[in-house]
Amino acid sequence: MPFIDAKHLYRKMLETISKSPMQIVTKHKWPVVFVLAGLIVGLSGFTAIQDAHAQFGPLGNLADPSKTNEIHCAQPMTPPGNGTFGGSNAPCIDTGDTTFMYAAAVFVMIMTPGGVGFLYGGLTRRKHSLTVMLQAFMVYAIVSVQWVIFGYSIMFGPSADPVGFIGNLDWVGLNNVSHNAPADVYAPTIPHLAYVMFQLMFAAITPSLAIAGYADRVKMSAFLIHIVLWTTFIYDVAGHANWSFGSQGTSLGWLAKMGAEDFAGGTVIHITSGFAGLATAMFLGRRIGYGKAPFEPHSIPLIILGASLLWFGWFGFNPGSAGFAGFLETQAFQNTNIATAVAAIWWMFLSWAHTGKTSAIGAVNGAVAGLVAITPASGFIGTWASIIVGFACATICFYCVLIKNRARIDDALDTWGVHGMGGVVGALLTGAFSEVRINPYGHNGLFFGNPMQFVINSMGAGFGAAWSFGLTYIIWRIQDAIWPGGVRVTPKEEEIGLDISQVGERAYSGFAE
């Protein structure tokens, strides 16, 4: 029998115990990843079985068509709720509304990997462009999973508290979310699952917009985790406050209860992402060489392509937020287009006045600012007010970008100046120009005899900005403290380019960096 060195064995045990959990995980990261993946897949399988039972009843009934007929046309809803149109009974599912919402969802989907991906990819330098495009692509994939598991439940589910701060877990894994019946308070003429898919597209694009604030600087591993944390603690919370209608008789979101108006996400999407980008840029600090070397966009054609896809997708973004095909989506469609066109033209003229040159990037920035600002207002205001929105947002956002540049804050792709402040402009002007004549479900604004609406919308915008800025900064602080080497790439990796150092591939194989 071989001799066992007890002292050596004892020293090995002490060395193992003295290692931090992070060191152990780092050394054995791939076995840990595979074990976790196996557990997740296994758990998902069991959950899927339970979920199917919760949605459709006993599995043995699935083959019986009578057990899966559409539940609509004044039949009792299960679970019972305080239905928007028909008390506790469900209205008819309308095939036209359902088709319209599917089309709108598809329009919005392409905005994240296509619109944001091409726009931001073109705005960055060549050695980072693939990374930014991949990040936009992966945001959609990550949020799709988060949304189904728990994101939709905590944002749109029944309120977990009497204030309406956050949703409960009744709809985790889309439990109690039917494919053959509408929700009790959301878009009641389409299946509930269709509404889930439409809102997923909004949840996905929001964190992708914030990429602009940390472009060229963050490790891919830190980015992937940050998306889950940010979507959960910032987007879902802000969304519940503004858009929760109190399913199953629970409390409305606290801002919705006050009467805040945000038709398609000026506060929930653009203010949160814009101020998150600002917080991130301030936390990470400037890119190497900022202010010393020219950081010019590597592909203006890609920028114009991305902006065009965004403009196209916004015709699903805003009109689809009506939740049905009819008068409200028609007004939102018109408002979206005219505000964007005015803002693109006016920003180009502002840039021309300052530099003596028309600017393609300036026209794109103006168009995006117009899309952002009209988002909260599109279903509440008239056409002429939309023209005012276009002029106002282009002017304010243009000078906010100049202020940011003079302050040497390296918000690389202007997410704060365009999205953050564009969202603020839109929220305030919604409170000024909203009309019950346009939207009978809304309120008159400041210029139509109700100054309190302007105050309420200002409070909503202030909450969105403060919540997003503060919590984003805290999340990055915590991640940076526990991440091996911090969340920022090394100077050498940044100099080489994130395409090579993080992704291991080049956007353009024929070019050397």
Side-chain angles (χ1 to χ4, degrees), residues 265-285:
T267 295
V268 177
I269 295 173
H270 298 292
I271 290 179
T272 58
S273 61
F275 279 83
L278 178 64
T280 304
M282 295 176 71
F283 169 72
L284 292 173

Side-chain angles (χ1 to χ4, degrees), residues 28 34 39 55 85 94 98 128 130 134 174 194 249 267 284 302 315 346 369 373 404 491:
H28 305 286
F34 287 126
L39 290 173
Q55 285 190 1
F85 300 96
D94 185 273
T98 303
H128 304 300
L130 179 62
L134 177 62
L174 301 188
T267 295
L284 292 173
L302 268 185
F315 294 146
W346 187 238
K404 182 268 300 182

Side-chain angles (χ1 to χ4, degrees), residues 435-459:
E435 296 182 67
V436 173
R437 178 181 65 88
I438 299 296
N439 188 338
Y441 309 113
H443 310 279
N444 284 324
L446 172 65
F447 295 122
F448 296 91
N450 182 19
M452 195 61 194
Q453 191 59 49
F454 184 83
V455 175
I456 292 171
N457 272 32
S458 300
M459 293 172 63

Side-chain angles (χ1 to χ4, degrees), residues 4 13 32 136 143 158 161 205 214 264 353 361 371 397 409 420 467 492:
I4 298 176
M13 290 175 60
V32 170
V143 176
D161 56 273
I205 196 172
Y214 50 82
I361 296 176
L371 291 167
C397 293
I409 297 172
W467 181 260
K492 183 178 180 181

Side-chain angles (χ1 to χ4, degrees), residues 196-219:
V196 172
M197 285 300 295
F198 178 73
Q199 288 296 339
L200 161 64
M201 308 310 166
F202 287 67
I205 196 172
T206 308
S208 75
L209 296 173
I211 292 171
Y214 50 82
D216 308 355
R217 284 161 286 183
V218 171
K219 294 175 180 175

Side-chain angles (χ1 to χ4, degrees), residues 3-363:
F3 175 73
I4 298 176
D5 188 343
K7 290 184 178 180
H8 177 72
L9 184 61
Y10 179 69
R11 283 197 301 271
K12 284 290 186 182
M13 290 175 60
L14 286 179
E15 288 176 7
T16 302
I17 294 171
S18 65
K19 289 181 179 180
S20 69
M22 186 57 71
Q23 288 176 315
I24 296 172
V25 170
T26 302
K27 183 177 180 180
H28 305 286
K29 60 183 178 182
W30 290 117
V32 170
V33 167
F34 287 126
V35 169
L36 289 175
L39 290 173
I40 291 170
V41 171
L43 181 62
S44 298
F46 286 114
T47 304
I49 293 174
Q50 294 300 316
D51 184 47
H53 188 282
Q55 285 190 1
F56 308 119
L59 295 179
N61 291 340
L62 287 179
D64 184 354
S66 66
K67 303 296 184 181
T68 56
N69 285 343
E70 290 183 348
I71 305 168
H72 55 63
C73 293
Q75 295 183 26
M77 301 184 72
T78 304
N82 60 340
T84 305
F85 300 96
S88 62
N89 294 333
C92 296
I93 290 177
D94 185 273
T95 55
D97 288 349
T98 303
T99 302
F100 165 69
M101 292 300 290
Y102 286 162
V106 171
F107 275 38
V108 182
M109 181 272 169
I110 200 61
M111 292 169 66
T112 301
V116 175
F118 287 138
L119 175 66
Y120 285 1
L123 283 168
T124 54
R125 290 169 290 172
R126 183 185 295 127
K127 62 183 178 181
H128 304 300
S129 60
L130 179 62
T131 302
V132 171
M133 297 175 76
L134 177 62
Q135 286 173 339
F137 187 88
M138 290 307 300
V139 165
Y140 181 78
I142 293 167
V143 176
S144 292
V145 177
Q146 185 264 7
W147 195 242
V148 168
I149 295 174
F150 63 86
Y152 181 74
S153 186
I154 63 175
M155 181 165 171
F156 285 99
S159 292
D161 56 273
V163 176
F165 182 77
I166 192 69
N168 65 24
L169 302 180
D170 283 1
W171 295 347
V172 162
L174 301 188
N175 187 39
N176 296 317
V177 174
S178 298
H179 73 300
N180 56 356
D184 58 339
V185 292
Y186 304 113
T189 59
I190 67 172
H192 194 174
L193 200 59
Y195 187 75
V196 172
M197 285 300 295
F198 178 73
Q199 288 296 339
L200 161 64
M201 308 310 166
F202 287 67
I205 196 172
T206 308
S208 75
L209 296 173
I211 292 171
Y214 50 82
D216 308 355
R217 284 161 286 183
V218 171
K219 294 175 180 175
M220 186 64 78
S221 57
F223 156 79
L224 296 173
I225 299 301
H226 183 80
I227 293 303
V228 178
L229 296 174
W230 193 92
T231 304
T232 301
F233 293 106
I234 297 170
Y235 179 77
D236 292 341
V237 172
H240 189 83
N242 282 272
W243 287 343
S244 172
F245 292 165
S247 181
Q248 299 177 25
T250 59
S251 176
L252 277 70
W254 67 273
L255 283 171
K257 194 183 304 181
M258 292 173 59
E261 293 181 333
D262 186 2
F263 190 75
T267 295
V268 177
I269 295 173
H270 298 292
I271 290 179
T272 58
S273 61
F275 279 83
L278 178 64
T280 304
M282 295 176 71
F283 169 72
L284 292 173
R286 304 182 188 101
R287 291 166 290 174
I288 295 173
Y290 178 81
K292 300 176 182 177
F295 284 1
E296 295 182 355
H298 91 279
S299 176
I300 292 178
L302 268 185
I303 294 170
I304 295 177
L305 173 61
S308 300
L309 286 173
L310 287 177
W311 197 333
F312 171 82
W314 235 283
F315 294 146
F317 198 99
N318 288 351
S321 293
F324 64 93
F327 70 96
L328 202 51
E329 60 87 15
T330 303
Q331 186 66 57
F333 196 172
Q334 172 61 70
N335 290 347
T336 299
N337 193 64
I338 190 62
T340 305
V342 169
I345 294 168
W346 187 238
W347 190 303
M348 187 183 73
F349 277 108
L350 289 171
S351 179
W352 199 350
H354 275 74
T355 66
K357 302 285 185 181
T358 57
S359 168
I361 296 176

